[in-house]
Amino acid sequence: MAKINVLPKEIYQLIAAGEVVERPSSIVKEMIENSVDAGARNITVEIQHGGSTYIRITDDGCGIEKDQIKKVFVSHATSKISAKEDLDSIATLGFRGEAMASISAVAKVELLTKAEGEDIGTRYVIYGGEEISFDDAGCPKGTTIVVRDIFYNTPARMKFLKKDVTEGNSVAGIVDRMAISHPEISFRFIRDGKQTLITSGNGDLKSAIYSVFGKEVTDGLIPVDYEYENMHLSGFVSKPTASRKSRAMQFFFINSRLVKSATAMAALEQSYKNSIMVGRFPMCVMNIELNPAQVDVNVHPAKIEVRFANEKPIFNLVYYGVKTAIEADRSVKEADFSPTIEELYLSEKEDNKSYKNNEKTYSAKLDFFKKKDPEPVQQTFKIQPSNNFWQEMSASKQEYRHEDTDDRKLPIDEKKSFADIDITFDEQTEEQTAQENVTEAQKPSDVDFKLIGEAFKTYIIVEIENQLYFIDKHAAHERMNYERLKAQATVETQMLLSPVAVNLSKDEFSTFCENIELVRQCGFEVEEFGESSVIVRAVPSLVDDSDVSDLITEIAQKLLEHKTDIIPDKIDWIYHSASCRGAVKAGDTTTREEQELFVKKLLSMPEIRFCPHGRPVFIKISKYDIEKQFGRV
């Protein structure tokens, strides 16, 4: 048996440091959290060479008393907890007492601090865990920590550091996240002598987001403010039209602590279902305030991952909070006349101008073409969880699969034919009034519009006040059909004059038969017919008879592709297919009377803004933008 050795201090400190100090951004995160916990109102972060050679963080917090300074660099020495019961209600960002010990074990650290009531400050220098000096020093109240030459005594770790620009971007990302999680604190970031970020610290989250991410991102946000079971959700989410290609702009905070939460992520993305296109993701900056006893933050060395005592209320809070915000926003996608950077580059190239000047031209023209509309009126209704919601969700063991369970019934009664839409413009059912809780002044009503006509047999053009609306008639009709199917307790069916036999592949047939009861639940009267065929005798009333074979084949293919989805997801796919097949098609001829009836019905349903696939139903162009194009303004 190999001999067991008790490691000396200088070795086990280096091992422990690896759990906390992975790169410069790890150090910055830990030190900023200490500054926040110290009550700082102003925090300055400065780095050089990506932070690998120099990091300085200055705050105006409470400072550290002289007789406590050396304890800062002792492992597991902390002022945040003193008994095991304290771990059940941690309200600070730091608490383990290992960060500064780990940092000082692999770098050269200098600390300047002065506590409230002290006449003079203190300077303490520690290299690689060994004390170098401990002296009096003149300094203002607060704390400044300088970290130099990370991993100077562990060259093997130093070689894993990336390029300065990469490490610097990682640090910048940490500062950005801390700035938006604490808008009440003014953050200042200096990178290689250049100030790249400053926030006001006035407590306004939107102002902090603007400082960090800029105008374009900020303009695409809508506020979230929701309470559920003694928890509060606040912050901002992106409009469906401002979705992104990745999840990189999703930021979740628990009691102002940046965390990763699969539950919150799934709830967020589920709330956007049928509002954004597949492959696009919403942005968010959201903070969940809850009793610290309901969340365990002591499950990861970097305190990024958390564990909730009960996942269900967290999911409900995020899902219904975001869903309410999305439903309250009635903004319409605006047409974008701004030229692309490539178009401008080609134009400038002809004039022998540099690309740098081109970028300036692009920014100027972009500002010229865009005009901010007034903020949309916020609706007063609030979507609440249904009793059976979580039970339905629990049927799935997949980590990110959740289903849209907005139970509000919409008074939609359009017929299969585009021309036969039943228009009841001014009346609302008692059920809708009760469920939406919309104030009298906000109820849908007739909107004065002027029908201009139709372009390309696809887009209906309507003039409303000083705006032109281009309506995608297929997308709009498809969404109407989809909402109608979801709203019906029992889907209306129509018998086919002649049953239709549909041949499927062996895999499609097998999956289809496994889900045949779901298909019947969605309004199809269908049964097995031979070894790889099904026979259809009835379909939902909105489906055209001629589309039956293609529709069943499409449903079978989708069920095969998504066979691991939970049951509500499968039903949703079937509704999508039926809605699409039952809608008027782009290129179909429609009369002016049909167009007018359709627009009137659509404008009485402001909740319809996207097709079930997430594409916009209409876009708008203002008179102001058109006149700019003609040089009239």
Side-chain angles (χ1 to χ4, degrees):
M1 179 178 175
K3 183 180 179 180
I4 299 176
N5 299 313
V6 178
L7 295 176
K9 174 183 177 182
E10 60 270 18
I11 295 180
Y12 74 66
Q13 278 188 334
L14 292 175
I15 295 173
E19 296 182 355
V20 176
V21 183
E22 298 177 345
R23 57 197 305 190
S25 58
S26 307
I27 294 176
V28 171
K29 175 183 178 294
E30 296 292 344
M31 294 200 299
I32 291 180
E33 288 181 348
N34 286 339
S35 295
V36 173
D37 288 341
R41 305 298 299 179
N42 297 276
I43 299 175
T44 299
V45 180
E46 182 177 357
I47 65 169
Q48 294 177 11
H49 301 103
S52 60
T53 62
Y54 183 87
I55 299 172
R56 182 175 69 180
I57 296 184
T58 303
D59 68 59
D60 58 355
C62 64
I64 307 169
E65 296 179 356
K66 187 172 185 178
D67 61 351
Q68 301 289 308
I69 291 176
K70 293 185 180 181
K71 293 182 181 179
V72 171
F73 300 93
V74 176
S75 295
H76 308 302
T78 177
S79 62
K80 314 297 174 57
I81 58 176
S82 57
K84 64 180 183 180
E85 291 77 15
D86 295 337
L87 291 173
D88 296 330
S89 56
I90 296 172
T92 54
L93 298 182
F95 58 90
R96 288 194 174 115
E98 59 184 347
M100 295 310 301
S102 297
I103 293 169
S104 65
V106 296
K108 301 174 182 178
V109 179
E110 176 184 352
L111 180 145
L112 278 168
T113 187
K114 178 183 175 184
E116 187 76 41
E118 290 185 333
D119 296 328
I120 194 168
T122 304
R123 178 177 180 267
Y124 183 56
V125 179
I126 179 171
Y127 288 0
E130 298 296 326
E131 179 180 317
I132 304 299
S133 64
F134 185 75
D135 304 302
D136 291 340
C139 61
K141 182 179 79 72
T143 302
T144 297
I145 299 179
V146 179
V147 179
R148 295 183 174 89
D149 302 330
I150 299 171
F151 302 139
Y152 80 99
N153 55 350
T154 54
R157 285 189 185 172
M158 186 181 298
K159 70 180 182 180
F160 285 100
L161 292 179
K162 302 185 185 303
K163 294 181 180 180
D164 288 352
V165 64
T166 302
E167 295 296 346
N169 289 341
S170 180
V171 173
I174 292 294
V175 178
D176 289 347
R177 292 168 176 80
M178 295 302 294
I180 60 178
S181 66
H182 292 277
E184 76 283 1
I185 300 175
S186 175
F187 282 86
R188 187 168 171 242
F189 181 45
I190 302 171
R191 183 172 177 176
D192 294 321
K194 181 180 179 181
Q195 178 175 290
T196 60
L197 172 70
I198 185 168
T199 63
S200 64
N202 63 0
D204 182 3
L205 176 57
K206 196 166 188 178
S207 172
I209 294 173
Y210 186 98
S211 298
V212 172
F213 298 119
K215 182 179 185 298
E216 182 179 354
V217 169
T218 308
D219 286 347
L221 299 178
I222 52 179
V224 177
D225 190 357
Y226 193 84
E227 292 185 0
Y228 176 72
E229 292 189 2
N230 298 318
M231 298 181 295
H232 182 218
L233 178 70
S234 61
F236 292 88
V237 294
S238 58
K239 299 175 182 178
T241 53
S243 59
R244 308 181 73 85
K245 294 182 179 179
S246 74
R247 296 185 176 94
M249 296 290 281
Q250 294 180 2
F251 303 100
F252 298 95
F253 303 92
I254 305 293
N255 294 333
S256 297
R257 177 195 302 278
L258 176 67
V259 300
K260 293 180 180 178
S261 170
T263 299
M265 181 187 299
L268 170 73
E269 295 181 9
Q270 191 65 26
S271 65
Y272 278 85
K273 190 170 185 179
N274 304 318
S275 293
I276 60 176
M277 295 179 65
V278 175
R280 305 284 297 186
F281 302 93
M283 173 191 168
C284 75
V285 178
M286 292 193 298
N287 183 46
I288 300 174
E289 297 175 35
L290 75 170
N291 187 333
Q294 293 180 259
V295 57
D296 183 4
V297 299
N298 190 29
V299 297
H300 189 276
K303 304 183 290 292
I304 289 292
E305 297 176 6
V306 296
R307 182 186 297 118
F308 297 106
N310 189 352
E311 303 281 347
K312 172 183 175 180
I314 301 297
F315 186 96
N316 284 345
L317 174 73
V318 175
Y319 177 85
Y320 287 99
V322 175
K323 195 75 172 177
T324 299
I326 294 173
E327 292 294 331
D329 174 57
R330 299 302 187 202
S331 59
V332 177
K333 180 178 177 64
E334 294 190 34
D336 187 2
F337 288 113
S338 55
T340 65
I341 192 71
E342 291 82 6
E343 290 171 340
L344 287 170
Y345 177 73
L346 292 174
S347 174
E348 299 296 337
K349 188 176 180 181
E350 293 177 0
D351 296 331
N352 296 319
K353 294 184 178 180
S354 69
Y355 187 75
K356 184 175 181 180
N357 289 336
N358 167 256
E359 289 182 314
K360 293 179 179 179
T361 305
Y362 169 72
S363 298
K365 289 186 178 180
L366 192 62
D367 290 339
F368 175 79
F369 286 123
K370 289 189 175 181
K371 176 178 180 288
K372 186 176 179 182
D373 283 338
E375 291 294 326
V377 177
Q378 296 296 321
Q379 301 282 18
T380 61
F381 64 82
K382 179 177 180 180
I383 302 173
Q384 295 286 6
S386 61
N387 293 332
N388 296 325
F389 177 71
W390 187 257
Q391 286 78 1
E392 294 172 1
M393 295 305 100
S394 299
S396 171
K397 295 183 179 178
Q398 295 189 32
E399 187 172 16
Y400 294 109
R401 306 299 305 179
H402 295 278
E403 170 58 16
D404 182 349
T405 56
D406 180 0
D407 291 328
R408 296 182 302 128
K409 303 291 189 282
L410 300 175
I412 307 171
D413 191 29
E414 68 276 25
K415 307 302 180 185
K416 168 187 165 185
S417 170
F418 184 85
D420 293 334
I421 295 175
D422 181 14
I423 50 173
T424 308
F425 305 111
D426 299 321
E427 298 179 1
Q428 286 185 300
T429 65
E430 292 180 1
E431 184 180 6
Q432 183 193 29
T433 304
Q435 290 181 355
E436 292 192 345
N437 189 25
V438 182
T439 63
E440 191 69 29
Q442 295 166 331
K443 289 182 180 178
S445 59
D446 283 332
V447 177
D448 290 332
F449 68 91
K450 178 182 178 182
L451 180 64
I452 303 300
E454 186 180 30
F456 316 119
K457 293 186 178 181
T458 302
Y459 305 104
I460 301 173
I461 306 172
V462 174
E463 178 184 334
I464 303 176
E465 295 181 345
N466 289 322
Q467 306 277 353
L468 277 184
Y469 287 77
F470 287 74
I471 301 171
D472 185 329
K473 64 184 182 184
H474 172 72
H477 199 199
E478 182 181 4
R479 185 59 184 233
M480 288 178 176
N481 289 341
Y482 174 75
E483 294 294 344
R484 174 188 174 185
L485 289 173
K486 284 196 357 176
Q488 291 176 342
T490 302
V491 178
E492 296 177 4
T493 63
Q494 60 176 348
M495 298 298 296
L496 300 177
L497 293 176
S498 299
V500 177
V502 183
N503 295 319
L504 303 172
S505 70
K506 293 291 190 297
D507 289 338
E508 291 170 348
F509 178 75
S510 177
T511 304
F512 189 90
C513 291
E514 290 174 4
N515 295 276
I516 199 164
E517 289 302 322
L518 293 180
V519 179
R520 290 169 178 165
Q521 181 182 334
C522 295
F524 295 85
E525 186 178 319
V526 59
E527 58 190 55
E528 298 178 36
F529 186 66
E531 294 183 356
S532 60
S533 300
V534 295
I535 188 164
V536 186
R537 305 184 187 280
V539 295
S541 58
L542 58 83
V543 175
D544 193 313
D545 296 2
S546 61
D547 282 338
V548 173
S549 181
D550 289 343
L551 175 56
I552 293 297
T553 303
E554 180 181 324
I555 291 173
Q557 291 172 346
K558 286 186 176 180
L559 288 172
L560 180 62
E561 293 170 4
H562 302 274
K563 58 184 177 181
T564 57
D565 287 5
I566 60 177
I567 289 174
D569 277 327
K570 293 177 181 179
I571 293 176
D572 218 38
W573 280 114
I574 298 173
Y575 283 167
H576 280 188
S577 296
S579 300
C580 183
R581 294 284 178 173
V584 62
K585 304 298 187 293
D588 286 354
T589 300
T590 50
T591 67
R592 188 175 184 86
E593 290 74 18
E594 290 173 336
Q595 295 165 18
E596 190 162 346
L597 287 171
F598 183 74
V599 171
K600 203 165 189 180
K601 180 65 175 178
L602 178 63
L603 294 180
S604 73
M605 303 166 66
E607 67 278 358
I608 293 183
R609 293 172 293 132
F610 305 93
C611 79
H613 308 289
R615 293 190 295 270
V617 166
F618 37 52
I619 61 174
K620 65 179 179 180
I621 305 173
S622 69
K623 178 183 177 183
Y624 182 83
D625 283 332
I626 293 174
E627 289 183 336
K628 272 189 172 182
Q629 296 294 307
F630 285 100
R632 289 182 173 272
V633 293

